[in-house]
Amino acid sequence: MVRARPPPGGIRGRDGWHRIFLRVAPAPFLDGRPLVNLAFHRSFKDVAGRKGTLVGLGAIDLNLLVALEALLEEKNVTHAGVRLSTSQSAMSGSLARLRRHFNDELLIRVGREYELTPLAERLLPVVQGSLQKAEEALSLTRHFDPARSRQRFSVVMSDYVMTVFVEPLLRVIAAEAPGVRIDFHPIVDGQLETETHLRCHDLMIVPLGYQLPGVSEAVMHDRFVCIVDPGNPRLVDGRLTLRDLAEMPHAACAIGKSHTPAERQLETLGIIPKVQVSTPGFSVLPFLVSGTDLVAMVPERLARRYEGFARCAVVPAPFPDVPLVEAMYWHHNRHADPAHRWLRETVRRVGTALGEEAPPEIAEADATHPESAFPELSAAS
């Protein structure tokens, strides 16, 4: 409930806009100042003549709060724009408006990077908490009907998961929720070390062991195998030895700062792979070993998909099976959302179906090596 008084002379602009600050509970405040700038295209006289006028939430520019959170978390105008699917110039405009409102730079350049001002550091948890409460409030009242929904989800996954998981997932979605859209995003550097990206996407499907915050659940199992060119002289009776892996040049997948479970297993055996070529994903590795003396260790499901046309031989690893457990991670503030629950259930069903179709070797490896039995992999809380 807002009581407006006539403004001082000259406050009204030529375009009829007035910018006033209204304390509308439970809107967030910091140091006694409201975080939201309310803009009305109406005469102040229209409001001043009615005591106790109720200003609806539709008049509040909540997008500034969303932009503020993105700018403070990303510490970069361009990255914040990409996160919110808006242009750099639009984000620069939002930053300029926020700077005027708070009379503070919010972001200051230090060398080639930007850092938060002291005020911005205090603002960040207030804004995060406010937007989280807003999301929770909306999720409590929303009913999700997949057959009629036009919901848009954002999911991060590796190229390996895209190769083996997306096709069956899309078949289920097309049958149950034809209007639903899913935007798939690749894993990029730094994405597995912080909570920021977990807040930006509905799900991240990555291997267990990265200790991402939030909630996680295993959805798919696989094991590592070796791939080489069929004519590689090291290949004897369809097998490689540990000595071969120690001496051969490797093509490796580099995701984030961590090694794959297979590489960590080699290190426990005293073997440091001689990596000659590295790529940000698994899918290109079968083509790199074809016609070369390289060896690569990849998930078996991916290897079986490519062995027919990439001219590579799939070889059992010369050490005990190393399981790969892919898990879906999500931020706790999405846990109760009906739409998100449907998405998680759908991913869970697809993962279960893939497990039932798994080759006997993978199924046997799953039974022999549950997640808790492999020391290099630890489930996130």
Side-chain angles (χ1 to χ4, degrees):
M1 198 69 71
V2 177
R3 298 182 184 277
R5 297 180 179 178
I11 195 171
R12 183 176 183 178
R14 294 179 180 178
D15 59 357
W17 284 84
H18 298 293
R19 294 195 175 274
I20 59 177
F21 297 103
L22 304 178
R23 296 173 182 265
V24 183
F29 289 82
L30 184 77
D31 296 342
R33 290 185 293 174
L35 300 187
V36 181
N37 185 356
L38 309 189
F40 297 89
H41 191 67
R42 61 166 61 182
S43 166
F44 219 118
K45 190 182 301 181
D46 295 339
V47 179
R50 298 191 299 274
K51 292 185 178 181
T53 300
L54 179 64
V55 179
L57 288 177
I60 300 176
D61 186 4
L62 288 177
N63 287 326
L64 272 184
L65 281 183
V66 178
L68 179 59
E69 181 189 46
L71 286 164
L72 298 186
E73 288 185 345
E74 299 292 342
K75 301 180 184 179
N76 184 289
V77 173
T78 302
H79 294 170
V82 171
R83 168 173 162 177
L84 299 182
S85 300
T86 189
S87 66
Q88 181 177 353
S89 61
M91 288 304 303
S92 296
S94 296
L95 178 58
R97 294 172 63 189
L98 290 163
R99 281 171 166 169
R100 287 195 298 270
H101 173 66
F102 290 106
N103 192 27
D104 187 90
E105 287 296 301
L106 301 179
L107 295 175
I108 54 176
R109 184 180 288 278
V110 179
R112 300 181 61 181
E113 306 292 333
Y114 281 92
E115 297 293 338
L116 301 183
T117 65
L119 175 64
E121 290 179 350
R122 288 155 51 212
L123 272 172
L124 181 56
V126 177
V127 175
Q128 289 173 330
S130 301
L131 291 179
Q132 178 178 334
K133 291 297 183 183
E135 291 173 358
E136 291 175 357
L138 292 173
S139 68
L140 290 176
T141 59
R142 187 168 63 243
H143 171 70
F144 182 73
D145 181 359
R148 301 167 62 94
S149 175
R150 294 285 177 181
Q151 183 89 8
R152 182 173 179 174
F153 296 102
S154 177
V155 180
V156 173
M157 57 178 62
S158 69
D159 64 325
Y160 152 65
V161 178
M162 288 188 185
T163 299
V164 303
F165 199 87
V166 167
E167 179 186 346
L169 176 63
L170 293 182
R171 285 201 303 266
V172 173
I173 291 176
E176 299 181 4
V180 164
R181 170 175 172 174
I182 297 189
D183 298 327
F184 295 104
H185 304 273
I187 298 173
V188 298
D189 282 345
Q191 215 170 29
L192 301 179
E193 282 81 38
T194 67
E195 182 185 26
T196 299
H197 295 282
L198 201 60
R199 292 178 58 91
C200 299
H201 302 280
D202 292 290
L203 285 179
M204 294 182 69
I205 303 179
V206 298
L208 281 175
Y210 283 102
Q211 297 298 327
L212 280 170
V215 190
S216 66
E217 178 183 335
V219 294
M220 183 174 70
H221 296 70
D222 206 338
R223 67 170 185 169
F224 280 90
V225 295
C226 300
I227 53 173
V228 294
D229 183 86
N232 193 305
R234 295 270 187 175
L235 192 60
V236 178
D237 295 329
R239 293 189 174 276
L240 296 171
T241 65
L242 285 175
R243 181 175 180 178
D244 292 330
L245 293 186
E247 297 177 352
M248 295 173 70
H250 285 243
C253 169
I255 300 178
K257 300 177 182 179
S258 300
H259 293 168
T260 67
E263 291 169 337
R264 294 200 294 270
Q265 178 72 352
L266 283 182
E267 291 177 3
T268 63
L269 297 172
I271 298 174
I272 306 299
K274 298 177 180 178
V275 178
Q276 190 174 88
V277 180
S278 65
T279 71
F282 285 107
S283 296
V284 71
L285 293 178
F287 301 95
L288 293 179
V289 303
S290 179
T292 72
D293 59 351
L294 294 168
V295 61
M297 294 180 291
V298 302
E300 184 172 12
R301 295 179 193 271
L302 182 140
R304 297 300 180 190
R305 282 218 167 193
Y306 283 107
E307 68 176 330
F309 57 90
R311 196 174 181 273
C312 63
V314 180
V315 182
F319 45 76
D321 286 332
V322 178
L324 172 63
V325 183
E326 294 284 337
M328 56 178 169
Y329 292 78
W330 64 93
H331 199 275
H332 58 81
N333 66 3
R334 290 184 168 88
H335 192 72
D337 176 44
H340 199 271
R341 283 202 302 266
W342 173 84
L343 176 63
R344 298 197 306 266
E345 173 58 27
T346 303
V347 170
R348 187 180 300 118
R349 284 189 286 126
V350 172
T352 300
L354 283 175
E356 294 172 351
E357 300 171 1
E361 295 84 357
I362 295 179
E364 182 179 348
D366 291 346
T368 306
H369 301 281
E371 293 99 303
S372 59
F374 191 64
E376 281 86 3
L377 288 175
S378 56
S381 60

